[in-house]
Amino acid sequence: MKIGPPAFDSVLRCPELLALILGSFSLANRCLLVDVMSGAMATRSEWRTTLAACARVCRAFSHHALDALWSALDDIKPLLELLPSLRNIEQTYVLASSSDPEREWENFKHYASRVRVLRYQRDLGTRIDASVWAYMAGRCGGNPLLPNLRTLDAQDISVPDITPLILLIPAAPCLRQLYLSFCDSAPSWVSVTMVFLFDSVVKTAGPKLEELTLYDEYLLPLSRIPSLKHCEHLQNLSLPKGTVLDVAAIRLIAQLESLTSLSITIRLGDSVLELGNGFPNLSTLYLSASTSDTAAFVAASHLTSISDFNPNITGSVDMAAFKICISKISKHLPQCLSNLNITARDAQNIPTHSVTELLSPSFVLQGLRHVDLCVGTSAPHVSDADLATIAKAWPELHCIGVNWGETPRPRYLASLRRPTVGGLAALARCCPKLLRITLPALETTRLPPVQSVPVLGRRLRILDLAWIPPGSSMLAIATALDRLFPTVERVTLATPGMEESGRAVLRYMKAMQTGREHARLRMLDPVDAGAVAQADSEELENEA
């Protein structure tokens, strides 16, 4: 019988398969922000180590491993350090004379062509002298420094970083995603550079650009908005809050039919907004505006595909106007909307309202899965009846949050109507898919008997509270909550001085989870289970 070559040899003989396997470890496929937020930076380091080791295995591995290793950089310094003439003198990178500058530059270009994703960050420790960038600019001669760069994330940029950005951005024909922000200490004249960078991006990469995010510190005048018409394939656009769009600017952006995600600040004034079929493909919208402008924008847009809506109500907000606004937008939003996150940090007269009164106009949106309401430091009343009404309106809820900006004062929180453990049980019973609950307070002074709390086994992961009455028993709270939510991963108390109480509740619940896991493992172990059964039998015989 003829035996074929080993699988390992088959992989070596197929460059496409080898590239696919090693490319799966490329950090270009991972989001740096997500890794930072989720604590997965160790994974990024492990992947780099794996690719570096693969590059040393054999020639067949080397090329593809190096392509994947250099495809995404969290800093530009490793690339610059490929220049042997680079020196670190007193925490400053400078260039010394080179014995073979041509060969050195060819090697640099070879690796620079591999970079697809770059995070350019300001280093407060070691800086790069301007002469290094001048040398790069002279060597490039107008050609791209990183010819295949697709994603550039440059945030918290200061004045010394402007030169490398001017070198990187204008000559980046393959750029698809760009994220830019300047630090707070940047002088006012930097706005001219900001406009230049924006114009350069639109001119060079505009037709191919897919995502453009300019953070709040980025000053972009309204006069530059018309140039966005060249970005015909733009899918995600986020403009800084300082760039307040008027009716004319909104109409221009509405012509970008490819947009699926948009973050803007608007002020309509006395103008009438008419958009016809504007924003038909928009699925995510972050909108900062007054109550009247928010309602007018939603009514004028054709938001038939939206699934995630995040209105930020600006200015001093009276609750009567707030409820009118929510009622108007709810009439024009489609039933496919799944996420609604309403923020009104300067809301007034909150203490006289319950969460049901504020959210009831949106009960018509029966497809909602995530609902969050944030009204600053004056949280509304939340009672058992409120939770029951919310559960009846949205039985498919995954997340419900009554959030706060800065944590309200304990005296204020103590004056609120607050739900009990029984109210949480009723909510969990009617909404079996809940994963997160955020509430300003929970009544824990008179907990029900443990046996009366139903064992629901819901898969809730997060329970965030601002306050509980002092003197409550953390063990009793944990025991009651564990019967409802046996897989909780996070419990917090935000009020200063109560943080440790929240951690204590979580420790008790984790101990209960560990006990259940150990009991389950003992039941699965036939040797251990047999020993336990034999011991029980011997004990019964001895008693007899």
Side-chain angles (χ1 to χ4, degrees):
M1 182 177 65
K2 185 178 181 181
I3 301 177
F8 182 78
D9 292 341
S10 300
V11 172
L12 290 180
R13 292 192 181 98
C14 182
E16 294 81 7
L17 183 57
L18 190 59
L20 182 64
I21 294 173
L22 294 175
S24 65
F25 288 91
S26 170
L27 293 180
N29 302 322
R30 296 178 66 97
C31 177
L32 176 63
L33 180 60
V34 172
D35 285 343
V36 171
M37 297 297 291
S38 62
M41 293 302 291
T43 302
R44 297 180 72 87
S45 178
E46 291 171 2
W47 282 23
R48 291 189 189 281
T49 302
T50 299
L51 289 172
C54 289
R56 301 184 183 97
V57 171
C58 61
R59 291 184 181 275
F61 275 41
S62 180
H63 176 73
H64 302 294
L66 288 175
D67 279 349
L69 179 62
W70 286 90
S71 62
L73 299 179
D74 294 342
D75 193 350
I76 199 172
K77 289 188 177 68
L79 188 63
L80 297 180
E81 289 169 353
L82 291 173
L83 298 172
S85 57
L86 194 72
R87 300 287 186 271
N88 188 344
I89 300 177
E90 297 181 354
Q91 299 299 308
T92 301
Y93 280 111
V94 297
L95 282 174
S97 58
S98 173
S99 58
D100 193 351
E102 295 301 325
R103 183 177 180 182
E104 179 179 294
W105 183 249
E106 287 301 318
N107 184 60
F108 176 88
K109 288 199 305 180
H110 178 67
Y111 280 89
S113 65
R114 288 181 156 125
V115 179
R116 304 292 190 273
V117 178
L118 173 63
R119 180 175 184 251
Y120 184 90
Q121 56 183 342
R122 184 163 54 112
D123 193 340
L124 300 178
T126 306
R127 70 181 189 89
I128 303 171
D129 191 77
S131 60
V132 176
W133 299 115
Y135 172 80
M136 295 283 182
R139 276 291 184 176
C140 288
N143 295 318
L145 178 64
L146 305 177
N148 296 310
L149 184 67
R150 296 177 63 89
T151 302
L152 176 60
D153 185 352
Q155 300 186 35
D156 199 25
I157 298 302
S158 62
V159 174
D161 302 306
I162 292 177
T163 301
L165 285 182
I166 293 177
L167 182 61
L168 287 169
I169 293 178
C174 296
L175 198 64
R176 298 293 183 273
Q177 292 90 25
L178 177 63
Y179 310 87
L180 278 180
S181 74
F182 283 74
C183 64
D184 295 333
S185 59
S188 58
W189 59 264
V190 173
S191 59
V192 178
T193 304
M194 297 179 185
V195 172
F196 170 76
L197 292 176
F198 177 83
D199 290 344
S200 300
V201 169
V202 172
K203 179 180 179 181
T204 305
K208 298 180 180 180
L209 197 65
E210 297 173 357
E211 183 167 357
L212 177 60
T213 299
L214 306 178
Y215 292 94
D216 290 348
E217 299 81 9
Y218 200 104
L219 304 177
L220 183 69
L222 284 181
S223 59
R224 314 319 300 165
I225 297 298
S227 60
L228 286 173
K229 65 182 180 182
H230 301 292
C231 305
E232 55 192 30
H233 294 104
L234 193 64
Q235 299 177 14
N236 302 328
L237 175 62
S238 179
L239 296 178
K241 292 181 180 178
T243 303
V244 182
L245 305 184
D246 56 15
V247 170
I250 296 171
R251 288 172 179 164
L252 288 170
I253 293 177
Q255 296 175 13
L256 300 173
E257 296 183 356
S258 58
L259 277 181
T260 59
S261 177
L262 179 65
S263 178
I264 54 175
T265 301
I266 66 171
R267 185 180 298 125
L268 304 181
D270 297 329
S271 302
V272 177
L273 182 63
E274 295 180 356
L275 299 176
N277 292 324
F279 306 111
N281 299 312
L282 205 62
S283 62
T284 301
L285 174 61
Y286 290 83
L287 179 66
S288 294
S290 65
T291 52
S292 59
D293 288 350
T294 299
F297 181 90
V298 174
S301 303
H302 192 61
L303 302 175
T304 55
S305 303
I306 192 164
S307 61
D308 185 4
F309 184 35
N310 303 267
N312 177 30
I313 309 300
T314 58
S316 182
V317 182
D318 180 80
M319 280 302 96
F322 179 86
K323 289 194 290 184
I324 293 173
C325 173
I326 299 302
S327 178
K328 288 183 177 180
I329 65 175
S330 297
K331 293 178 181 178
H332 293 91
L333 291 172
Q335 290 298 323
C336 64
L337 185 72
S338 60
N339 298 350
L340 180 61
N341 182 5
I342 307 171
T343 302
R345 298 190 182 277
D346 296 326
Q348 301 174 354
N349 303 323
I350 289 295
T352 61
H353 292 78
S354 69
V355 66
T356 300
E357 290 178 292
L358 301 180
L359 290 178
S360 58
S362 58
F363 286 168
V364 296
L365 301 171
Q366 299 178 1
L368 286 176
R369 301 293 183 268
H370 302 257
V371 178
D372 282 279
L373 173 66
C374 179
V375 286
T377 58
S378 300
H381 296 288
V382 183
S383 64
D384 287 350
D386 292 320
L387 294 185
T389 304
I390 290 173
K392 183 178 179 181
W394 298 314
E396 298 296 320
L397 270 182
H398 293 180
C399 302
I400 179 66
V402 183
N403 301 287
W404 49 88
E406 297 179 5
T407 305
R409 298 182 302 276
R411 181 178 297 180
Y412 172 76
L413 291 169
S415 68
L416 293 176
R417 294 193 298 272
R418 47 190 180 270
T420 64
V421 171
L424 284 183
L427 176 66
R429 183 181 289 109
C430 296
C431 302
K433 298 179 182 179
L434 272 174
L435 298 174
R436 174 177 60 82
I437 298 175
T438 303
L439 297 171
L442 181 66
E443 176 55 53
T444 57
T445 54
R446 295 182 298 275
L447 292 171
V450 175
Q451 294 77 8
S452 67
V453 180
V455 180
L456 297 180
R458 296 296 187 246
R459 313 302 292 179
L460 190 81
R461 295 288 183 265
I462 298 173
L463 177 61
D464 290 330
L465 304 170
W467 181 85
I468 60 174
S472 302
S473 169
M474 300 303 112
L475 177 58
I477 295 172
T479 304
L481 292 177
D482 183 70
R483 293 173 72 88
L484 303 176
F485 314 119
T487 58
V488 161
E489 298 174 357
R490 187 180 86 189
V491 177
T492 62
L493 282 169
T495 298
M498 284 191 170
E499 298 92 344
E500 181 55 36
S501 297
R503 289 190 285 267
V505 171
L506 182 60
R507 283 196 297 269
Y508 284 130
M509 297 185 73
K510 286 293 185 182
M512 297 173 194
Q513 294 172 18
T514 302
R516 283 192 296 273
E517 179 63 19
H518 286 178
R520 186 185 68 84
L521 293 175
R522 290 186 65 186
M523 294 300 293
L524 293 175
D525 189 340
V527 176
D528 191 26
V532 171
Q534 183 179 356
D536 291 343
S537 177
E538 292 175 353
E539 184 178 355
L540 288 174
E541 291 178 1
N542 292 335
E543 290 179 357

